[in-house]
Amino acid sequence: MSPRPSDDLAAAFTRLGGDEDDKVWSQLSDDLCHQGSVYDDSFLALPYLAAIATGDAPGGPVDAVLMAGLIVSAADEEREARYAAEIAALLPVAHRLLDAATDDRVTFVYLLQCVLAFEGERQWSGGKLEGLFEEEYEVDCPACTSELFIAFGEHGTFASAGDYVTADPAKALLHPADPSALAPLPARLHRMASEAGHEEVARGLTYLFGRATCPDCEGEFRVSEQVEARY
């Protein structure tokens, strides 16, 4: 059985459903997930977030699912079991919202992370996919420890040993993965992005799960492994 949320938390959620929803969600985010951090008390919000997501309480389902996804991404086995009912209720809503997020790449990627979180995946649900809409990752070369930018957006596709926007650093090629050779999880994410029409996200996944060459030492490494190590 899920713990009963505190009176203060309950009062905060009762303010939703009016003209100040954006302000309420902002305050809830500051209290429960400040700068992406998840606290012990954050999990007490899951019953309320699940109720909002399923339409049993006022508030925005997208806001509820995104906040719940962030919280659940930090759950251990004990919390997964304690909030199993809420997580089970949130998962189909996240899938439905994901299917509808055809015009918003940022929300699509956040919802992808939520689906993974509610399914129990803990490696890529906790913010590591957000570079897909930022179109870059900052990683360390495993051979020489140089700090690198992995870029695959409007400025080109390359590994850069420095700020590639305001300077002219050394660059090296990226080697995107063949979509047909991706491991099961990235292959699924690639398929979901492609089917939703988010070709930029699908393309970014091939670079995230591809390889890069360090422009400083010419060593080659898997981008995803260094993203996992850094974030």
Side-chain angles (χ1 to χ4, degrees):
M1 181 177 178
S2 300
R4 182 180 179 84
S6 70
D7 291 340
D8 287 346
L9 187 58
F13 278 105
T14 61
R15 294 168 55 204
L16 289 169
D19 295 335
E20 295 189 342
D21 275 17
D22 288 346
K23 181 179 179 180
V24 176
W25 282 115
S26 178
Q27 185 61 58
L28 285 167
S29 179
D30 286 344
D31 291 343
L32 299 172
C33 309
H34 183 63
Q35 296 183 342
S37 298
V38 177
Y39 315 100
D40 290 342
D41 287 349
S42 303
F43 290 89
L44 298 176
L46 287 177
Y48 278 102
L49 295 171
I52 293 168
T54 56
D56 293 328
V62 173
D63 295 296
V65 167
L66 293 180
M67 183 174 289
L70 176 59
I71 294 169
V72 173
S73 72
D76 54 20
E77 291 184 3
E78 187 273 332
R79 288 192 175 100
E80 283 185 14
R82 185 187 304 173
Y83 295 100
E86 288 82 4
I87 294 170
L90 286 158
L91 179 57
V93 180
H95 273 293
R96 175 173 56 80
L97 295 173
L98 185 69
D99 291 341
T102 56
D103 298 323
D104 187 341
R105 177 175 55 172
V106 174
T107 299
F108 180 81
V109 171
Y110 278 130
L111 287 169
L112 270 182
Q113 294 184 147
C114 291
V115 168
L116 295 180
F118 301 147
E119 290 178 343
E121 200 284 331
R122 293 290 171 262
Q123 186 59 259
W124 293 98
S125 63
K128 294 185 179 70
L129 295 181
E130 290 165 25
L132 293 173
F133 59 74
E134 296 169 347
E135 297 185 320
E136 70 171 29
Y137 282 96
E138 192 172 349
V139 301
D140 298 312
C141 172
C144 70
T145 70
S146 288
E147 188 173 84
L148 307 175
F149 286 96
I150 305 299
F152 44 89
E154 62 178 314
H155 297 285
T157 55
F158 50 82
S160 165
D163 183 355
Y164 62 89
V165 176
T166 60
D168 187 23
K171 298 177 182 177
L173 293 174
L174 298 181
H175 313 284
D178 181 347
S180 65
L182 288 169
L185 177 59
R188 179 192 177 202
L189 297 175
H190 185 275
R191 182 177 65 256
M192 293 169 75
S194 298
E195 291 176 351
H198 288 288
E199 294 302 329
E200 300 95 336
V201 176
R203 175 174 173 270
L205 284 160
T206 67
Y207 288 106
L208 173 58
F209 290 96
R211 304 183 70 87
T213 301
C214 175
D216 283 346
C217 72
E218 299 185 350
E220 192 172 292
F221 58 89
R222 292 185 182 277
V223 175
S224 59
E225 291 179 356
Q226 297 313 113
V227 169
E228 289 182 40
R230 181 72 179 261
Y231 293 86

